[in-house]
Amino acid sequence: MRCMRSGRRASGRSQTLFAVTRCLPFLVLATVLGIELSPAHVVYTGPLLSPAPALAAVTMGPVGTGGVAGLAGVVSAITATHNHAWGSQQVYANLLALLVVAVASVATSAVRVRRDRELTRVRRIAEVSQNVVLRPLPARLGAVNTASVYLAAERGARIGGDLYEAMCTRYGVRLIVGDVRGKGLAAVRSAAAVVGAFREAVHYETDLAEVMRRCAAALAREYELLDRSQLRDARELEEQFVTVVLAQVPDESMVQLINRGHPPPLMMRHREVRALGPVRPLPPLGLEEFLTPPPIGVETFPFLPGDRLLLHTDGVIEARNRRDEFFPLARTMATLDGTTPAEYLDRLRQALVRHTGGRLADDAAMVLVERAADGTPPPARVDHVGMD
């Protein structure tokens, strides 16, 4: 895929830049030694030796940085001997400056290495946490073909508040897509609480509305834990909520939806796209204490073989280009081709990336389901794709 190829090209450029930067201290030392041992030794090169350990500290550890500092000292001694400069103030001043820079560079390198190790460990933990919420969907679930995409707003980011899941149950295929207000580990905990309740309830609750209630109850319990652990102050906790849409695709040619403050799913049939907005809007999860929701009702829409249903987070429709224009999701969907949901969703992702120039203001998640005709083979699987 184009985005993955772009990521590999960016990675190759980074590796080349890293290799050049690592070789730079040795190039400086070789240049100084060549000048001092040539007829051009009248050029004063002493100050060029001191930056060598500092350059090494950018890409090397304490041992490598210390080695470069030692080589710089050897080069300084060789040039001083060759030019009969021992005893001059310039030589001792250069050696003193080299010693000071070397000590500072080794210390800086040690701090950088320790910080990089901690950052790698944190990223690994964050990735594991995110995979609990955003694990790849299978290509085929019951009567539907599925595909999913998650785009992080920041390069290299793997943690946020978007959530989705799809599971095949005796009641049909049940899906959830949601968005937690906020970022970081607290948002992931909230998302994990909702997804965990969904994964448990979908297999036992006949009524889709009861699945939604179980998700709301799990989120309320999580917010109580967040309050007691003082992860958020009282005002921040009051502002937390989760927008969610639940979908159920039974064997009959229909889809059932419950929307709690989430962007409405988009149905595409023969290149005609329409939003499946709720008749009775419901507040997001987590606001029950402030807004009493009306009785939860399940809304039913036709969902025929070949129809495609896109569930997405607001990071998709709120994505802007350089002219501050929103991404025209429905119009774009009507213009795209794709034999399988995976191919179609990848092209939709490419269109979103082109619209934003690769710079999303918020995380974006999309789940596409297609009611398959009998005998339709499962499509190829597509994994999560980043913004690299």
Side-chain angles (χ1 to χ4, degrees):
M1 288 177 285
R2 182 182 303 175
C3 188
M4 297 178 69
R5 289 195 296 267
S6 298
R8 283 194 289 266
R9 287 196 297 267
S11 178
R13 289 193 296 267
S14 298
Q15 292 177 358
T16 301
L17 180 61
F18 180 84
V20 171
T21 305
R22 171 162 282 194
C23 293
L24 193 57
F26 301 100
L27 179 62
V28 171
L29 296 180
T31 301
V32 171
L33 188 61
I35 292 175
E36 292 292 341
L37 297 182
S38 71
H41 64 84
V42 292
V43 178
Y44 184 49
T45 60
L48 296 178
L49 293 175
S50 299
L55 293 173
V58 176
T59 58
M60 300 181 187
V63 175
T65 302
V68 170
L71 286 176
V74 171
V75 169
S76 181
I78 292 175
T79 58
T81 302
H82 181 266
N83 296 320
H84 307 288
W86 287 110
S88 65
Q89 293 183 352
Q90 288 182 343
V91 171
Y92 297 117
N94 291 337
L95 290 175
L96 180 60
L98 178 61
L99 177 62
V100 172
V101 174
V103 171
S105 299
V106 170
T108 301
S109 177
V111 172
R112 181 186 57 79
V113 169
R114 183 168 62 251
R115 182 196 60 194
D116 289 347
R117 288 174 180 172
E118 292 176 354
L119 182 59
T120 300
R121 184 164 55 251
V122 170
R123 284 179 174 171
R124 189 179 299 115
I125 294 172
E127 183 173 355
V128 171
S129 301
Q130 191 76 343
N131 286 338
V132 173
V133 182
L134 295 177
R135 62 188 183 187
L137 299 183
R140 183 70 177 264
L141 278 173
V144 299
N145 301 320
T146 67
S148 61
V149 162
Y150 173 73
L151 297 174
E154 297 181 5
R155 186 180 302 272
R158 290 288 301 163
I159 191 164
D162 290 358
L163 62 97
Y164 61 75
E165 181 62 285
M167 305 193 76
C168 189
T169 72
R170 53 184 171 175
Y171 311 108
V173 177
R174 287 177 164 178
L175 306 97
I176 184 172
V177 173
D179 189 1
V180 182
R181 183 189 182 278
K183 300 287 183 183
L185 291 175
V188 172
R189 287 183 55 178
S190 299
V194 173
V195 170
F198 170 83
R199 290 170 179 165
E200 179 71 16
V202 290
H203 295 289
Y204 301 103
E205 300 295 345
T206 305
D207 189 356
L208 192 63
E210 190 58 34
V211 176
M212 182 67 80
R213 294 188 186 96
R214 292 273 294 271
C215 292
L219 182 64
R221 291 191 298 269
E222 180 61 28
Y223 282 169
E224 291 178 0
L225 293 175
L226 288 174
D227 192 19
R228 286 198 298 268
S229 62
Q230 296 181 349
L231 289 178
R232 301 180 184 273
D233 60 40
R235 181 176 179 181
E236 288 178 326
L237 189 62
E238 291 176 358
E239 296 175 350
Q240 296 305 302
F241 58 85
V242 183
T243 64
V244 169
V245 60
L246 290 184
Q248 177 171 296
V249 183
D251 293 334
E252 297 82 5
S253 296
M254 63 180 181
V255 60
Q256 298 171 323
L257 298 175
I258 300 178
N259 195 323
R260 295 288 300 267
H262 200 75
L266 297 178
M267 173 82 74
M268 186 174 73
R269 178 181 299 159
H270 305 305
R271 291 189 178 274
E272 293 185 2
V273 180
R274 68 185 183 102
L276 304 183
V279 176
R280 293 184 303 172
L282 298 172
L285 302 182
L287 298 181
E288 292 82 0
E289 183 179 351
F290 311 100
L291 298 172
T292 303
I296 299 176
V298 179
E299 300 183 13
T300 303
F301 302 89
F303 191 39
L304 307 178
D307 289 352
R308 287 176 172 175
L309 182 68
L310 180 72
L311 298 90
H312 58 90
T313 59
D314 59 8
V316 178
I317 56 177
E318 294 179 0
R320 299 172 184 260
N321 60 14
R322 297 184 183 275
R323 297 186 297 272
D324 208 32
E325 299 170 336
F326 290 113
F327 178 61
L329 178 58
R331 188 166 69 246
T332 303
M333 287 179 62
T335 63
L336 297 178
D337 294 318
T339 305
T340 67
E343 294 174 351
Y344 180 86
L345 195 59
D346 182 58
R347 291 171 183 174
L348 183 58
R349 175 193 58 79
Q350 293 177 23
L352 176 61
V353 172
R354 286 194 301 268
H355 179 81
T356 61
R359 296 177 179 86
L360 284 173
D362 191 10
D363 298 345
M366 294 182 286
V367 174
L368 184 69
V369 294
E370 175 191 63
R371 181 176 287 280
D374 292 340
T376 300
R381 178 172 176 165
V382 61
D383 293 328
H384 301 304
V385 181
M387 291 285 291
D388 296 336

